[in-house]
Amino acid sequence: MEFLTGKLIFIALFVFIIHSIETLAYAVRLSGARVKMIASALSLFNIMVMVSRLANMMQQPFTGSLIDTAPKNNALEFVETQFRILIGASTVGTVFGIILLPTFIALFSRAIIHLSEEKGSVPFLIKRIFSLQYIKRAITHFSLPKFTYLQDTRVKDIPIRLFCVNMIITSIYTIGVLSALYAALLAPERHSAAIMASGLINGIATILLVIFIDPKISVIADDVVNQRGSYNKLKNMSLMMVISRLFGTILAQLLFIWGARYIAWFTKFIV
């Protein structure tokens, strides 16, 4: 268990938080449709995305240092074990986000209303959210997911293509940094090119999310507000997306080494 260091636990906690936030972001549109304030909901959604991206950037140097501290005699096996633990932390973080989804739908509904009351002032909203009175009230909104959430869901209504696309994009985003760092071990003579590829991979994954996933859910949310669609359809779509995120983090375990080998191969054409 020598690979289980304090630094690894710290990084795993960061990864856990990142994927929890990414999962809970799906609750924002549900909350916006619930209180019929989609524009304000998107502002809150963007804040959450920025926080998760910042957290992801903050953990990258620490993750890279795991390679520097790995024993030279079995660096590949040592780092692979540590990185698989980090991928596992992303799965646990996603599960945690799914568990808290009903609670945060209620909390985000209140937050969106408060954001409107504060005339769009995020600092005042943050001040109110972290007040003792608000925290006590938030505890009363805690609720666990129920099977009744899925009672109106039918398999034929699940957008299989969208489900699979989101799963694949999530897996790429999950292993982007890790595969690039591991590729640096596979091709030490091109380690700088391999490491720098992580930003490109995560950037592409983010663009794919913006192009293929976000517009679909946003349109359904708009239909709910404009009374052209049902809230249940938006809820079922959001649930399917968070479940596909969960499967994506599991798929990342399978794609991790393959992705590293591909990056190592690709750097031959750069250097």
Side-chain angles (χ1 to χ4, degrees):
M1 296 289 286
E2 59 180 6
F3 54 82
L4 195 61
T5 63
K7 184 188 294 184
L8 178 64
I9 295 173
F10 172 75
I11 300 170
L13 181 61
F14 245 113
V15 174
F16 172 87
I17 293 172
I18 291 168
H19 284 266
S20 295
I21 294 174
E22 293 273 355
T23 303
L24 290 172
Y26 282 93
V28 177
R29 287 191 184 88
L30 282 167
S31 300
R34 191 178 182 182
V35 298
K36 302 187 183 303
M37 300 174 69
I38 291 296
S40 297
L42 287 178
S43 297
L44 187 58
F45 174 82
N46 290 332
I47 292 171
M48 293 191 66
V49 171
M50 289 294 292
V51 169
S52 67
R53 296 292 186 270
L54 178 61
N56 190 42
M57 291 175 61
M58 289 173 63
Q59 62 90 14
Q60 287 181 17
F62 296 102
T63 306
S65 68
L66 293 177
I67 293 179
D68 298 330
T69 56
K72 302 301 181 183
N73 57 335
N74 64 335
L76 285 173
E77 182 181 350
F78 189 88
V79 171
E80 179 183 348
T81 302
Q82 289 190 319
F83 282 6
R84 289 198 181 280
I85 290 174
L86 296 181
I87 298 173
S90 70
T91 302
V92 176
T94 303
V95 171
F96 185 73
I98 293 173
I99 292 173
L100 291 182
L101 207 60
T103 301
F104 272 80
I105 290 173
L107 294 180
F108 286 151
S109 297
R110 297 297 305 168
I112 291 168
I113 294 172
H114 290 323
L115 183 62
S116 177
E117 292 174 350
E118 300 292 351
K119 306 299 181 183
S121 175
V122 175
F124 278 105
L125 174 64
I126 294 174
K127 181 180 178 181
R128 176 178 287 193
I129 287 175
F130 286 98
S131 65
L132 183 60
Q133 181 182 3
Y134 194 91
I135 293 174
K136 288 180 178 178
R137 189 183 303 170
I139 295 174
T140 63
H141 287 290
F142 178 79
S143 61
L144 293 172
K146 301 176 182 177
F147 284 107
T148 53
Y149 270 69
L150 299 173
Q151 65 181 5
D152 297 326
T153 304
R154 295 176 297 180
V155 175
K156 67 177 184 178
D157 293 334
I158 297 175
I160 301 298
R161 182 180 299 178
L162 196 64
F163 185 95
C164 294
V165 168
N166 191 51
M167 181 175 66
I168 293 171
I169 293 174
T170 299
S171 66
I172 294 173
Y173 178 77
T174 302
I175 63 170
V177 173
L178 302 179
S179 289
L181 290 172
Y182 196 77
L185 288 176
L186 295 176
E189 69 280 5
R190 302 186 299 275
H191 70 280
S192 296
I195 291 174
M196 292 304 292
S198 63
L200 177 62
I201 295 169
N202 281 352
I204 292 174
T206 301
I207 291 172
L208 291 175
L209 281 172
V210 172
I211 292 175
F212 293 107
I213 306 301
D214 290 346
K216 296 283 187 180
I217 302 177
S218 295
V219 167
I220 296 175
D222 285 340
D223 287 343
V224 174
V225 173
N226 295 319
Q227 297 181 344
R228 293 194 301 264
S230 68
Y231 180 80
N232 278 338
K233 182 179 179 181
L234 176 62
K235 181 185 69 175
N236 292 337
M237 175 71 79
S238 299
L239 287 174
M240 291 304 103
M241 289 299 99
V242 296
I243 291 173
S244 72
R245 270 192 60 85
L246 176 61
F247 287 169
T249 61
I250 296 172
L251 178 63
Q253 294 280 6
L254 301 176
L255 298 181
F256 166 54
I257 297 297
W258 179 86
R261 289 173 179 168
Y262 178 79
I263 293 171
W265 170 81
F266 183 73
T267 55
K268 293 179 181 179
F269 303 97
I270 299 176
V271 178

